[in-house]
Amino acid sequence: MRTSIIFAVLLGTALARYEPNWNSLDSRPLPSWYDDGKIGIFIHWGVFSVPAFGSEWFWWNWQGSKTPAYTYYMQQNYRPDFTYADFGPMFHAEFYKPDDWADIFQASGANYVVLVSKHHEGFTNWPSKYSFNWNAMDVGPKRDLVGDLANSIRSKTNLKFGVYHSMFEWFHPLFLQDQANNFQTQDFVRTKTMPELYELVNTYKPDIVWSDGEWMAPDTYWNSTEFIAWLYNDSPVKDTVVVNDRWGNNTRCAHGGFWDCDDRFTPGKLIGHKWENCMTLDKYSWGFRANAKLQDILTIEELLSELANTVSLGGNLLINVGPTSFGQILPVYEERFRQLGAWLKVNGEAIYKSGIWTYQSDNATAHVWYTTRTDGPQPVVYAILLNWPRNFLVLSRPNADSGTKISLLGYPNPLTFTSLSGGGVNITIPVIPANEMPCEWAWVIKMEGLANHQPYVSWDAISRNVESIRMRKDSV
């Protein structure tokens, strides 16, 4: 009887139409593909890629806050009457080959891509009807940058395709007018923000709508809940789409499908909701910087540390790259993505479809992060080691018994171990020749049949149950 009641409640949730309020919208289960995938690629590309100085906030830093370094840069390199709009025709994207990008992203082992369709500068990377003469078809590339990449991702890879969209624009007169009216008027939202969002979804059918630029006004100004209700109920991607939490200055870390909270968000603890760490390979900018130095770029070791920390706490990692204005991903960034993919080919089972274990890190050995899998014949716990141990490895969290098996991913032989009297295990580390090491950076210990293998029960267990019911319903 109890099982029937629970099933009926979950089925009712899966069949429900969502109302334009957060109580209803937040009840929608997160589509399982997003949590299973764990890794995404973020792409910041736009007119700001032409000056390629400072960051993607170039226009604001130059003419908004009038930061001296930007003013000096313009004085030294451009004529006195040069405007930001003059950068538009210089955004040529002449070497943009979306099939090449798709190949790099597929090789990275990522599961989804999020392209900036419009940043705060207002330039749309698609031929929007609502951005006359300030879009990639009318100015600069003279092509549909969003559509071309969407087609390549979908035809050449198995990745999901998503779009980032800024809800506001720094210097748009209608936004400035609404702002002067304390956001009691919505002329900018009615004529620009919402028409663009509906156009993006209907045209490109993205699996992620990654919103930003919302922080000056509440969700009621943006009409966010009305849009998301349409997205979940009636849009062409209603069953697969996911959204983040940036829909008003009252929604971050509170509402939405997954939470970003802040750029480079890492909570350092379990937070009871699916979250994402959006971060950059360039430590100082999301857009391309022509003057970036090698030490400004994350090493593969630093990237894997971010990944292990993020996934162990239940998050996804969204890794940003800024292409050049001429449409290339520089070799150093391509190298990081291919290195990540090589690592995942050996160790991906500890990342993809993984869940949160009872413990996230170890208190006996530093730089160890735990994940778990429960989709096989028996639960498995993984310990991701950022440093290679010598001779032996002491882990305080796992409790082994006679049925426990311990191995190193990518290494053919089982590892020997002894159980410690106070709990934990002492694992003997074999001497492995350098040319036989399973990978070059970060190694994964696999532990099957632990006495304390139970995963942490969290939001994703409920989400998966509801999602599986919806999928069964759709297959009938």
Side-chain angles (χ1 to χ4, degrees), residues 458-472:
S458 65
W459 58 268
D460 58 345
I462 299 172
S463 178
R464 287 174 187 275
N465 286 337
V466 177
E467 177 69 5
S468 66
I469 290 171
R470 184 193 65 76
M471 292 176 68
R472 289 199 295 272

Side-chain angles (χ1 to χ4, degrees), residues 366-377:
H367 309 299
V368 173
W369 298 98
Y370 291 108
T371 63
T372 187
R373 291 276 293 269
T374 58
D375 55 343

Side-chain angles (χ1 to χ4, degrees), residues 359 361-365 370 394-399 420 422-425 452:
Y359 305 98
S361 60
D362 202 81
N363 61 1
T365 300
Y370 291 108
V394 174
L395 298 176
S396 64
R397 300 305 194 184
N399 291 330
L420 302 177
V425 293
N452 62 336

Side-chain angles (χ1 to χ4, degrees), residues 294-312:
L294 183 61
Q295 60 263 34
D296 298 340
I297 312 303
L298 288 183
T299 64
I300 185 59
E301 292 88 352
E302 290 171 322
L303 180 58
L304 292 175
S305 178
E306 281 286 322
L307 177 63
N309 183 4
T310 298
V311 174
S312 71

Side-chain angles (χ1 to χ4, degrees), residues 122-138:
F123 185 89
T124 65
N125 282 331
W126 81 99
S128 176
K129 295 182 293 185
Y130 308 100
S131 188
F132 175 73
N133 210 38
W134 192 232
N135 67 74
M137 187 63 76
D138 293 341

